[in-house]
Amino acid sequence: MMTKYSSTAAATLPFTGEPDGVTCAEKKARPVAAMLKIAKYVLYDILRNRIVLGYAAFLFASALTFFNLEGDGSKSLMSLLNIVLIVAPLVSVIFSTIHFYNSYEFIELLVAQPVSRRTILGAEYAGVGGALVAAFLFGIGLPVAVFAPDPRGFTLLVVGVLLTLVFVSLAFLAAVLTRDKARGIGLALLLWFCFSILYDGLVLVLLFAFSDYPLEKPTLVLTFLNPVDLSRILMLLQLDVSALMGYTGAVFNEFLGSPMGVALAYGCLALWVLLPMIWAERVFRKKDL
Amino acid sequence: MIAIHNLTKQFGRLRALDGIEAEFSAGQSIALIGPNGSGKTTLLKCLLGMARPDTGSLQFEGADLTRSDAYRASIGYMPQIGRYPDNMRIGQLFDMMRDLRGYPENVDEELLDEFGLKAMFDKPLRALSGGTRQKVSAALAFIFRPSVLILDEPTAGLDPLAAEVLKAKILRERNTDRVIIVTSHILSDLDDISTHVMYLMDGKLQFFKDIETLKTETGETRLGLAIANVMRRHANENQASA
């Protein structure tokens, strides 16, 4: 029954499963097409359970309330900012993790089909991220487009969308790292708690402990290491309330006020979306299902 | 068609597969048997790329299958416990599978008809009984006319009538350019549908023989008795060497 195998057999005889004459571009297009197909079913599943619709309605209601109560000035945008910084990441992180665990059957079904793990994870991400971003753009975007169609409103939307995607990425990472649902959700919540609450406290302690030293630059670096802080600063600089932030605020204004600094900040937020997702993909590819 | 070489898979401290060597060629219908926890399902999951082997190689038509996904287009898999998305209906599930493969024309809907699944297309998958679930899994495994059929305990949970329908289907689908791998604990079922027997125990391959050879060697006419005979001999040998 046994035959001899050379270790190079696999390398010299690549099984492509593709008919001859398939171009490189076509090969790349096919996983994307498959990904979108699967994402369609993920999206369909999400729309069925209505949580995302409720989230969109909640955002819409609060945005309308703030604009009606406080007018269309910086004040209402500040209030909205707090919603964007706390609620959007929290809902994104919890919803994505729970959805991932609930999709286990779906994922199991797909891994026995001729699609790659990368395609499956990408489709899940596109479906979940797409739904949450759409909810955000409807709930916050629509009122902002009506009441504050200016650079401030636009910044709020961009920051909110990026922050949503960051926390979907972190949620996926937490979900592929742990097999147990409760632990996965716990880990995801812990990440949210760290970035939204704990981190600021730690930074304050640091600032206090080393208050004898010039801390502007370390603070700047620390801010870049937390997507929530980064988003907050980007928005505050638009609202011209950075004067309230004292000397450190001046440094922020100087650095992040320049086009270079702003580009760097958005680039950093984009990295916060990509890096956890790349890590998650690596774990998922090797995972036993 | 499928070559397995020195395949090892460890789950924590448990060695689920330990240096498996085997080659399945077209035309074979293999009965994969062994006690509970002997590594049967793990072996099938490795073939499907659902579990990633620790060492060794798995080849499908000469190419390493751990690096490819396209080969799964040629595999029909019926899992031991079919788990499906709750929110989907039976019809949507079949539609999605066809959609994923770009709606191939030459599909095999025999089992869909014989199990009467088409009349249940509107039923949500979460509301299905275990047996109906098995029917859905079976129909899905056959629908794209795969060249490799992997059936993990296909008749478990099916009523006698449905089990006979499925067995008849497997017999009809046995042909020279197809490999069928079936695990089951019901040896009399396997007796009718297989040409070869692969026996696993504690993750090790005990033997891989064709059924006729096994029966002549042991002097038995039924697969169950032949296997029992071999097992007894193994036990005696172990005792003698101890």
Side-chain angles (χ1 to χ4, degrees), chain B:
Chain B
M1 197 180 255
I2 294 173
I4 304 167
H5 177 58
N6 194 26
L7 181 68
T8 304
K9 176 72 193 173
Q10 195 116 9
F11 289 118
R13 287 170 68 191
L14 176 80
R15 188 159 273 210
L17 291 176
D18 192 354
I20 305 282
E21 301 270 352
E23 192 175 317
F24 307 146
S25 6
Q28 289 180 343
S29 173
I30 298 126
L32 180 58
I33 53 184
N36 294 330
S38 57
K40 303 185 294 289
T41 298
T42 307
L43 179 62
L44 299 185
K45 283 194 166 185
C46 283
L47 282 176
L48 283 157
M50 295 173 83
R52 304 300 199 186
D54 295 331
T55 59
S57 77
L58 280 162
Q59 296 183 331
F60 181 76
E61 290 179 344
D64 186 353
L65 63 73
T66 51
R67 282 180 221 178
S68 162
D69 305 294
Y71 79 93
R72 284 198 292 268
S74 333
I75 295 191
Y77 172 53
M78 176 176 175
Q80 199 171 52
I81 302 159
R83 305 206 302 157
Y84 299 105
D86 278 351
N87 286 335
M88 246 181 211
R89 294 164 196 282
I90 297 181
Q92 288 170 330
L93 175 72
F94 280 94
D95 196 54
M96 179 180 82
M97 292 317 217
R98 277 181 212 182
D99 185 10
L100 274 183
R101 300 187 188 218
Y103 294 100
E105 283 185 3
N106 183 22
V107 290
D108 178 357
E109 297 194 337
E110 267 181 38
L111 280 181
L112 273 182
D113 293 328
E114 286 177 57
F115 285 145
L117 288 174
K118 280 185 173 165
M120 297 196 273
F121 264 13
D122 283 340
K123 269 201 176 177
L125 286 156
R126 65 172 170 277
L128 298 187
S129 72
T132 315
R133 235 165 236 271
Q134 286 290 89
K135 289 178 187 171
V136 169
S137 302
L140 262 185
F142 282 94
I143 197 161
F144 298 111
R145 302 184 190 277
S147 54
V148 178
L149 270 167
I150 297 180
L151 311 171
D152 198 355
E153 310 223 5
T155 52
L158 287 182
D159 61 63
L161 185 67
E164 285 309 315
V165 166
L166 183 56
K167 264 164 67 183
K169 176 70 180 165
I170 297 172
L171 276 175
R172 278 204 302 281
E173 294 301 316
R174 254 175 35 175
N175 63 37
T176 47
D177 36 50
R178 183 174 263 149
V179 171
I180 303 181
I181 306 169
V182 187
T183 77
S184 181
H185 293 294
I186 308 165
L187 295 178
S188 58
D189 281 357
L190 292 171
D191 210 347
D192 308 331
I193 53 180
S194 5
T195 60
H196 290 69
V197 178
M198 184 173 181
Y199 194 95
L200 283 184
M201 205 161 116
D202 298 329
K204 289 199 180 74
L205 177 62
Q206 301 294 324
F207 60 81
F208 181 27
K209 286 184 178 139
D210 78 89
I211 285 194
E212 291 317 312
T213 317
L214 185 72
K215 282 180 182 169
T216 32
E217 270 179 19
T218 53
E220 305 280 0
T221 49
R222 302 290 304 163
L223 177 64
L225 295 171
I227 297 288
N229 191 311
V230 173
M231 285 301 98
R232 219 174 298 128
R233 222 165 35 196
H234 269 263
N236 288 342
E237 278 165 22
N238 285 348
Q239 256 175 2
S241 64

